[in-house]
Amino acid sequence: MVEPAKDEQHHCALSLKVGAEALAQALSNAITGREWQILRHALLVADDSGLHITSTDTETQIEERLDAACDVNGMCTADVGLLKAALNGLTGDIQLKINGQRLELRQGRRRYHFDSLDPATFPLLDAGEEQQLDIDASRLAAAFNRVLWAAGKNDHRPCLNGVYLGKGHAITTNGHIGALIPVGESLNSEIIIPRGAIPLIVGNLVADGARAFVGRPGGGLAPNSIVVVSDRRTVRVQLIAGAYPDCLKTFDVRDDAIARISFDADELAGALVRIMPFAEQSLMAGGNLHRLEITAKGAVMRIYAPHSDAREEIKCEVDGEKMDTVFDGAYLVGLIKGARGCRVTWHWCGDDGARLKPSLFTLMEGDEARADEHIITHLRR
C-alpha cells in the first residue's frame, strides 16, 4: 500500500489516466454491501504498478490491478454504482483526480464528481500471515467444482454450508448427500470455505499465475481466510468457523454393495430432464421431495414418478441383485451435472428397512477412473 499524498483538508490526493472499459469491467466484478455507506464504495489506490480497486462486503474482498498512468500516487474511495453509471458506454482513456474531498472523472468535456470517504475507514480484511497451499491451482479448482453440488444450502449447521479442505481431501455434505475428492494438499489446519464464494475462488484459480494461501491473523494457529492471488486479481474470503463432521468413513461402502449398476451419465441426465417435472407432483401432493422410484435389473434401469404415469428407461449393466429403491430426484440432478460424459457406477447397498443406507457413485471418464466419489442416501418408502 502506498503512503498517500495529502491535500490541505487532510484528504488523500490522486491523479491518473486509465482505460474506461478496463475500469468498467473491474467495477462489474466488485462486491459491495448495503449495511454501511463505505461498503457501497470501492477503495482506489494509485501507485507505480497501476490502479488497484478493492471492494468488500466484510466477508469477501476482491482487489483488481489495472494498467494506469499515475501522475500522483494516492488513494480515495468512490461509490461503485455511480462510477459504473458514469462509465457506461465510454471508450478510451479517462482521467481520475481528487478535487477537494471529491473524486473527479474527466473525458473531453464530460465531468462527473463523486463524494469520496476517508480511505482510512475502508474495512480491509485482516491479511495476517499467509501460508501457501501446496496444491496445483487448476487441480484445486476442478476439485471444488466437482464437490460443490453436495454442499449444504442455508443449513442451520453453518459448517455444512461450505467446502471442507483438509486431511488430503475436499469434502462436502448436507447430511443426506456427500462428495469427496483427494487433493493431496499439505495444509496443517482444516478449513471450511463458504459455498457462495466457491465460484469466485474457482474463477481466480484458473487465471494466469494463480496461487492459493490461507491467512492467519497475527500469525495465529487458526486460519481465518483463504486467499487466491493471480496476476491481476486477489480474492480473500473469510472462512466458516467450526468443526466439520468426520465423514470419510461414510464413503467406505464399496464392500457393502449388493449390486453395481453402470450407465451413461448423459442418458440419465436426459431422462431426468423429462421426468422431473412429473416428480414435482409429489410436492403438490403434500411432500417436500422430488420422489423417484428406481429399479434396475438385467440391462434396463426404470425410473418412475409417483402420483403420475410417467416412466423413463435407460440402458444399464447390473452386477448383483435387482435394485429397487426411492431417491430424491433433485440430488441425482446435482450429481449428474458434474458427471456429463462419464460412465457412472452406482454401488447400491440395499434397503433392509431398518436404516437408510447410502449409495456410492463412482465415475469413469474414458478409460480412466475419476478420483471423486459421491454418496446419496435413499428415501424411506
Side-chain angles (χ1 to χ4, degrees), residues 253-261 294-296 318-327 345-352 357-361 376 378 381:
V253 297
R254 289 177 190 254
D255 294 339
D256 298 330
I258 62 174
R260 292 173 175 81
I261 304 94
I294 305 174
T295 65
V318 179
D319 178 13
E321 300 182 17
K322 173 186 176 181
M323 182 179 75
D324 188 351
T325 187
V326 180
F327 264 59
T345 298
W346 183 333
H347 305 258
W348 186 59
C349 298
D351 176 10
D352 60 11
K357 294 184 178 181
S359 287
L360 174 69
F361 296 81
I376 302 178
H378 70 73
R381 292 188 179 273

Side-chain angles (χ1 to χ4, degrees), residues 140-152 158-166 169-173 179-181 183 187 190-199 201-202 226 238-240 244:
L140 187 58
F144 285 158
N145 278 332
R146 290 179 179 179
V147 302
L148 184 60
W149 76 274
C159 63
L160 298 188
N161 298 318
V163 177
Y164 167 87
L165 189 62
H169 295 84
I171 302 175
T172 54
T173 183
L180 168 152
I181 185 168
V183 292
L187 179 64
E190 302 169 26
I191 64 175
I192 307 172
I193 307 164
R195 174 194 181 104
I198 293 297
I201 290 173
V202 167
I226 183 169
Q238 295 284 83
L239 300 173
I240 297 175
Y244 204 78

